Amino acid sequence: MDSKIAPRGGRTRTRTGTRVLAASLVLTATATVGASGCSSQAVAGTAAGRHVDIPVKGGTATVDTGSLAVNARTTDGKTLELSAPAGTGLGTPGPVRRTGDGARWSYPDRGLTVTARADHGRLRISMKADRDGSVTWPVTGTDRAASAVQLPRGEGLDIPVRDTFWNSAEGGLTGDAIDVGGGLELPLWGYTMGSGHGVSYLAPTDLGTSLKFRSEGGQLRTSTTHDFNGGDGTRDYTVTLALTDGNPVAPGADYRAWLGEHGQLGSLRDKIGQNPANGKLLGAFHAYVWGDARKAAGVEQLRKLGVDRMWLGYDAGPDPMDAAAVKAAKKAGYLVGPYDSFANGQDPKTADSPTSAWPGTVYPDFCVQDAKGKPQTGFGNRGCYLGSRAFEQAEPKHHYLADRTRAMTANGADSYFLDVDATGEVFRDHSAGHPMTKAQDRDSRLARMRRLAKNLVLGSESAQPWANKVLAFDHGAATPVADGLWKLQRDKETWGGYYPQNAPKTFFKPVELPAGLAKAMYDPVYRVPLYETALHSSLVNAERWELSYDKLPRQKTDRALLAMLYNIPLNYVLDGPSLKKSGTELAALQKYFSPLHKAAGTEKLTSFRRLTGDNLVQRTEFGGGKLTVTANFGKTPHAGLPGGCVDAKLRGDQQPRRLCPAQLTG
């Protein structure tokens, strides 16, 4: 990105474990409510017919049709409150009718029809509205046994519900509601209910759905609100509830199973088969290059250091990687790709970035319009957001996107980074010429990403799961961004600005995070691989590019251990001086990572365990033991593993491979 552009993607997003195999959470059920069949007779139940029992994996769920409270009785005799009564008034429910695998009833006062049924071992509650409105349900974390809440912010967090930091304003959870479709990396959350029990909540209808944290009596609780809006196409709302063993990554395993059941889980192995260049991602670190680092000599320097795989990206400024540099990178086995964005449009005469300048009257004709018919102002108050559907409608005649891509890859680049297309920030366009709902915005983005992925190794920012089948990598979904980060980045004196041109300080200036922000984002006590549990083997996940490995010196060791534990690459920003200073360290880290990722990058994460009561020693397994990684984030040795070090063992290894990042020198 050239130095005149505002930072991309800078919007607000807003115990000792037990072994868990993702395979054990592929939930199945064949039992139905009452007798089988599709009779329309009212279901007989307790409490004057208000309660409906649904068999689920691990027990029976009971729905109170008067309040939508949900309780479960587990097979070992434990009673759990999965949801308190709805937070909005529902009115008197209509009669309960039996269906083939559940029950149906209505709330006439709210215009809602509700269906409860068994779905692969889960309780599935679906609502359909005949009018605009909203409902707050489920209301979760209310059971006294609730001990921790799981949240897919970045890779994932597991937060003790009585933790004083997260219950305070400094923790940043108890403020505004979080947009499930835009503020979370996965449409889910979960709770651990003491020892051996938990619950996973999936919200596949994430558009129009928000999750709000509140602290009550020093304990974190959550409530979910869905807005039914005909114009937005959100009149349907579904949540599934599943009993788990309480492992903090169980909701991720549940969601992976759900994606597989619905044909929505991608495969990196298949993507490599369709485009072999995708295979170069395995073992590769990622870096955006500047100055001399984007020349052929810079590529050669990396190769001489022994770096066998890299993804090299460059901004859309006036000095891209030239054909000679791209040729050298390909010869070294690296991937090369430009940064681009189809999201912003500006007047071509005054545009502050080549990615915002479009031919003809794309600007302003393609601008997304709000309900008042005014253009939706673009990120950083620059130009406007461009409607993805407007491009799709024009594509048969005007190949704006294909022409842009062709120009950006004329140097021979074999990869492409398309900013923001796969994030949760989607729009409703009120334009008469190219109207679209948020769901249609997603569909249009998927269509153009699918075209790009046919011949290019495609990446985007903070890949949402709805895009996991078309993307090969992302930059951002590994970072659990807390709101304080945006405030810090706006402080250019501390964070650094967009100068000098060949090494902008915003990327290269080291920064010390405030203690609270560092804790919220990088304290390993709270970090868990929810995203990898759901999507590892589908795509390659990395941190945000403005948070390069060298940007946050005090977090380097923890970030390196997390990357190795999660089997994901580190992300760098390099220029000539930084390559000379840190190249040896980069090469050592990549040499350690490369064989591990080549072996397990196409495998699913099958186990996550915490080995000590303080949560500082953690272990992952991939491919059912094909790769086992143990990281010690503490200062005390554990079973021979020193603090600040990681051991990795591939199946067949006689001894573990050890890495102690702090011992490496640049």
Side-chain angles (χ1 to χ4, degrees):
M1 176 181 302
D2 68 73
S3 60
K4 294 182 290 184
I5 304 176
R8 60 188 176 84
R11 62 189 181 287
T12 301
R13 300 271 192 211
T14 71
R15 304 156 308 271
T16 301
T18 56
R19 178 183 177 89
V20 57
L21 294 178
S24 71
L25 287 162
V26 179
L27 310 173
T28 59
T30 56
T32 61
V33 176
S36 61
C38 299
S39 170
S40 62
Q41 297 176 355
V43 174
T46 59
R50 278 185 47 165
H51 294 84
V52 176
D53 292 337
I54 306 287
V56 296
K57 179 73 172 180
T60 301
T62 300
V63 183
D64 183 337
T65 64
S67 66
L68 277 182
V70 182
N71 291 284
R73 183 74 172 174
T74 66
T75 52
D76 62 357
K78 190 176 181 64
T79 299
L80 302 174
E81 184 175 60
L82 307 189
S83 174
T88 48
L90 299 171
T92 303
V96 181
R97 304 293 179 182
R98 181 181 299 132
T99 65
D101 53 1
R104 179 181 293 115
W105 64 97
S106 65
Y107 298 105
D109 292 347
R110 306 286 297 187
L112 289 175
T113 300
V114 180
T115 301
R117 66 180 179 88
D119 180 7
H120 293 83
R122 307 177 189 88
L123 168 64
R124 179 186 179 104
I125 302 285
S126 296
M127 304 182 194
K128 190 173 187 65
D130 65 10
R131 68 195 70 162
D132 289 353
S134 66
V135 65
T136 297
W137 181 90
V139 178
T140 54
T142 53
D143 193 296
R144 294 181 63 182
S147 54
V149 59
Q150 291 85 43
L151 181 71
R153 174 183 280 181
E155 264 292 350
L157 298 172
D158 178 57
I159 302 168
V161 296
R162 295 174 181 84
D163 188 288
T164 54
F165 171 76
W166 291 103
N167 274 272
S168 71
E170 188 179 17
L173 278 185
T174 56
D176 295 336
I178 303 169
D179 178 4
V180 173
L184 300 178
E185 303 303 337
L186 306 168
L188 60 83
W189 68 102
Y191 276 90
T192 298
M193 304 286 204
S195 178
H197 292 283
V199 59
S200 165
Y201 303 90
L202 309 182
T205 49
D206 56 328
L207 294 176
T209 303
S210 60
L211 181 69
K212 186 172 179 61
F213 279 81
R214 64 190 188 281
S215 178
E216 294 186 3
Q219 178 172 328
L220 288 172
R221 296 180 176 179
T222 49
S223 58
T224 312
T225 298
H226 183 80
D227 292 323
F228 299 101
N229 187 297
D232 285 344
T234 59
R235 288 277 183 88
D236 293 289
Y237 177 42
T238 293
V239 177
T240 70
L241 301 80
L243 300 178
T244 74
D245 64 0
N247 187 286
V249 298
D254 183 24
Y255 187 51
R256 183 185 181 93
W258 188 94
L259 289 170
E261 294 156 11
H262 291 79
Q264 296 179 21
L265 181 63
S267 164
L268 185 56
R269 188 175 286 115
D270 289 348
K271 294 168 189 174
I272 294 171
Q274 294 160 6
N275 179 6
N278 285 312
K280 295 181 182 180
L281 287 170
L282 297 176
F285 277 1
H286 295 226
Y288 279 90
V289 289
W290 303 74
D292 291 341
R294 65 173 57 174
K295 304 298 184 183
V299 174
E300 182 63 18
Q301 188 175 351
L302 279 170
R303 191 193 67 79
K304 287 182 177 179
L305 286 168
V307 177
D308 73 330
R309 292 279 175 89
M310 285 291 292
W311 180 90
L312 300 177
Y314 55 93
D315 69 304
D319 186 27
M321 289 187 76
D322 59 27
V326 172
K327 183 178 180 180
K330 287 183 173 181
K331 184 178 179 180
Y334 304 166
L335 289 164
V336 177
Y339 160 86
D340 197 4
S341 174
F342 297 161
N344 188 259
Q346 300 179 45
D347 186 337
K349 297 178 182 179
T350 58
D352 60 13
S353 165
T355 64
S356 298
W358 296 88
T361 58
V362 167
Y363 177 86
D365 290 357
F366 286 16
C367 290
V368 171
Q369 294 184 12
D370 63 20
K372 296 181 180 180
K374 295 182 178 181
Q376 182 77 46
T377 304
F379 174 73
N381 294 317
R382 301 159 51 247
C384 73
Y385 282 107
L386 298 176
S388 61
R389 198 169 186 217
F391 276 114
E392 291 301 297
Q393 289 178 181
E395 187 65 20
K397 184 177 180 180
H398 300 286
H399 305 298
Y400 296 119
L401 304 183
D403 291 345
R404 166 72 73 82
T405 303
R406 190 178 301 109
M408 296 286 280
T409 58
N411 58 359
D414 52 0
S415 185
Y416 214 78
F417 184 87
L418 186 61
D419 198 20
V420 309
D421 253 35
T423 67
E425 188 177 43
V426 290
F427 296 96
R428 179 180 176 187
D429 190 348
H430 294 264
S431 166
H434 41 81
M436 69 179 179
T437 64
K438 291 182 177 181
Q440 289 171 331
D441 191 4
R442 282 185 178 178
D443 290 342
S444 295
R445 293 177 187 222
L446 280 172
R448 66 195 191 189
M449 287 192 286
R450 193 174 295 113
R451 291 194 297 268
L452 284 171
K454 288 181 179 179
N455 300 303
L456 295 165
V457 178
L458 182 63
S460 189
E461 177 197 356
S462 298
Q464 293 284 312
W466 51 266
N468 87 89
K469 293 187 73 174
V470 299
L471 293 179
F473 69 96
D474 78 78
H475 292 160
T479 306
V481 172
D483 287 351
L485 179 65
W486 310 131
K487 180 180 179 180
L488 183 62
Q489 289 186 1
R490 288 192 293 269
D491 179 0
K492 297 305 180 185
E493 183 175 347
T494 300
W495 191 262
Y498 285 86
Y499 59 87
Q501 175 73 30
N502 286 337
K505 291 184 178 180
T506 189
F507 304 120
F508 288 92
K509 181 183 178 181
V511 168
E512 181 172 340
L513 295 177
L517 185 57
K519 184 173 185 176
M521 292 179 63
Y522 289 111
D523 191 334
V525 168
Y526 305 112
R527 293 286 298 266
V528 292
L530 273 174
Y531 191 89
E532 295 312 309
T533 301
L535 291 176
H536 198 275
S537 82
S538 173
L539 49 76
V540 175
N541 186 23
E543 286 214 59
R544 297 178 62 86
W545 83 310
E546 80 271 21
L547 297 176
S548 68
Y549 184 59
D550 291 319
K551 181 71 177 179
L552 308 174
R554 295 195 63 165
Q555 279 72 45
K556 285 180 69 171
T557 293
D558 283 347
R559 293 174 79 191
L561 296 185
L562 286 166
M564 303 308 158
L565 185 68
Y566 297 170
N567 197 229
I568 61 175
L570 292 171
N571 209 348
Y572 284 80
V573 176
L574 299 173
D575 66 345
S578 65
L579 182 55
K580 184 176 181 180
K581 177 183 178 181
S582 304
T584 301
E585 180 188 32
L586 182 158
L589 289 166
Q590 192 272 336
K591 183 178 181 179
Y592 182 84
F593 172 76
S594 186
L596 309 181
H597 196 235
K598 288 176 181 176
T602 57
E603 303 289 338
K604 68 179 180 180
L605 192 158
T606 47
S607 174
F608 171 75
R609 299 172 62 196
R610 288 155 165 171
L611 305 183
T612 56
D614 60 8
N615 292 350
L616 291 176
V617 183
Q618 303 174 19
R619 177 172 293 164
T620 53
E621 289 184 10
F622 298 85
K626 188 171 185 178
L627 170 66
T628 302
V629 186
T630 307
N632 186 347
F633 295 95
K635 297 181 179 179
T636 304
H638 174 79
L641 178 61
C645 298
V646 59
D647 274 352
K649 195 170 183 180
L650 290 170
R651 184 177 288 141
D653 283 351
Q654 297 302 309
Q655 297 293 330
R657 309 167 187 223
R658 179 162 295 174
L659 174 70
C660 299
Q663 297 178 7
L664 302 176
T665 57

